[in-house]
Amino acid sequence: MHNLKRAEAIINRSNPVDLDLLVLPEMAFTGYNFGSAEEIDFHLEPTAAGPSSVWARTMARRFKCYVCVGYPEYAAVSPSSPNPTVVRYNSAVMVSPQGNVIANYRKHHLYTTDETWAAPGGEGFLTSYEERLGRFAMGICMDLNPERFLAPFNKYEFANHVLTSGAELVVMPMAWLTTHPELLEDEAPVPDSETLAYWIQRLQPIVDVGGYNGKEIIFIAANRCGTENGAAYAGTSVVLGIRQGNVKVYGCLGRGVEDLLIADIAPSFTKPISRWR
């Protein structure tokens, strides 16, 4: 409940208007760095129906915009199954301006921390279409990396999915760690350039193509910031535009800044991205 109110306070402080899309980080309200299924069980939420989803619906109706938020999901296997169980996922829900659930994506490439409690999403990466957003792809953090760090680096699984699916908008909640935790305080307002460069590197196939028929592809990364149970996050939430081989930074937060970033993509299409610890 504290984190829900904290998120709302950050948004109220910015007093945003004319929003199209609000994106929150991976597991935005529960924290991310859990070491076991037992540790996280108390925080699990039913599929698109827990506190995170209710908050998303409320904000979507209030601002008349789409809202995407990450959360830890439990999905009950049918009681008629021979061995009924609960399956846990690292998920993100997307709701419409009317408060309807339009997508529930389950992280496909798990990070080491996820593997202590979550199952990989079996449906692969997600692509969907909304008239106001166009065709969009969703991933969560580690999805941007080679699978289990074992797949060839140049396989670019997620980036190639974006290209083959024809998505023009990429939405990615994150809990991306920093390799320089010593800079979180002294250089909090400064983006983590190493992290930002790596994200762009993992989008290389998109950069090479440069968009579809001259159209721009928008990439949104909403990353956690600060520290949590020994984990130090890179922050640097960003909105990028990729067109004709060029990468444009529409907006970027510092590595340790807890705030709402609003990026004006076009006069009639504003995509905001928010993050907090």
Side-chain angles (χ1 to χ4, degrees):
M1 183 63 68
H2 170 74
N3 288 338
L4 299 176
K5 292 184 179 297
R6 185 174 181 177
E8 193 167 348
I10 291 172
I11 294 171
N12 290 340
R13 185 176 68 211
S14 298
N15 192 29
V17 295
D18 297 329
L19 305 184
D20 281 300
L21 173 62
L22 177 66
V23 184
L24 282 74
E26 181 177 6
M27 293 170 60
F29 300 129
T30 61
Y32 171 76
N33 195 32
F34 294 93
S36 67
E38 290 73 25
E39 282 186 30
I40 201 172
D41 271 351
F42 176 78
H43 302 278
L44 295 174
E45 303 180 18
T47 304
S52 298
S53 298
V54 171
W55 186 93
R57 291 189 182 98
T58 301
M59 292 296 106
R61 294 187 183 110
R62 175 183 169 187
F63 292 106
K64 298 179 176 56
C65 70
Y66 292 88
V67 177
C68 178
V69 58
Y71 74 102
E73 174 192 358
Y74 75 82
V77 175
S78 171
S80 61
S81 172
N83 298 298
T85 58
V86 170
V87 184
R88 307 170 184 86
Y89 298 102
N90 183 335
S91 301
V93 63
M94 175 87 82
V95 301
S96 72
Q98 295 75 36
N100 301 318
V101 174
I102 62 170
N104 187 76
Y105 171 72
R106 294 163 175 168
K107 190 174 184 179
H108 189 53
H109 290 179
L110 299 184
Y111 185 57
T112 306
T113 305
D114 305 312
E115 291 176 341
T116 65
W117 63 271
E123 300 84 8
F125 306 126
L126 180 146
T127 302
S128 188
Y129 177 84
E130 285 287 313
E131 184 175 357
R132 191 164 154 190
L133 297 179
R135 184 167 296 280
F136 66 91
M138 286 177 62
I140 300 176
C141 201
M142 178 67 185
D143 285 330
L144 197 59
N145 273 318
E147 186 172 12
R148 298 176 65 86
F149 294 116
L150 297 176
F153 189 88
N154 61 357
K155 189 176 180 181
Y156 295 109
E157 299 100 305
F158 184 77
N160 282 317
H161 165 78
V162 173
L163 290 178
T164 57
S165 68
E168 295 178 344
L169 169 66
V170 181
V171 180
M172 185 158 274
M174 290 189 166
W176 199 281
L177 301 174
T178 179
T179 57
H180 299 288
E182 72 280 1
L183 300 179
L184 287 181
E185 290 189 14
D186 293 342
E187 298 190 19
V190 181
D192 187 325
S193 58
E194 183 178 291
T195 293
L196 184 56
Y198 183 81
W199 290 343
I200 295 172
Q201 184 181 15
R202 293 301 301 163
L203 299 172
Q204 191 62 50
I206 302 174
V207 177
D208 290 342
V209 171
Y212 310 103
N213 300 320
K215 292 184 178 180
E216 190 173 43
I217 298 176
I218 301 298
F219 173 82
I220 300 175
N223 195 25
R224 303 182 70 87
C225 68
T227 59
E228 173 205 359
N229 297 330
Y233 301 104
T236 316
S237 293
V238 70
V239 178
L240 301 175
I242 305 172
R243 190 204 309 260
Q244 297 177 341
N246 297 314
V247 178
K248 178 178 181 179
V249 179
Y250 280 101
C252 187
L253 294 178
R255 71 182 79 221
V257 176
E258 184 177 78
D259 205 353
L260 179 74
L261 170 65
I262 298 180
D264 293 325
I265 305 305
S268 62
F269 192 38
T270 303
K271 296 186 180 70
I273 176 176
S274 65
R275 68 169 185 162
W276 46 86
R277 294 184 185 90

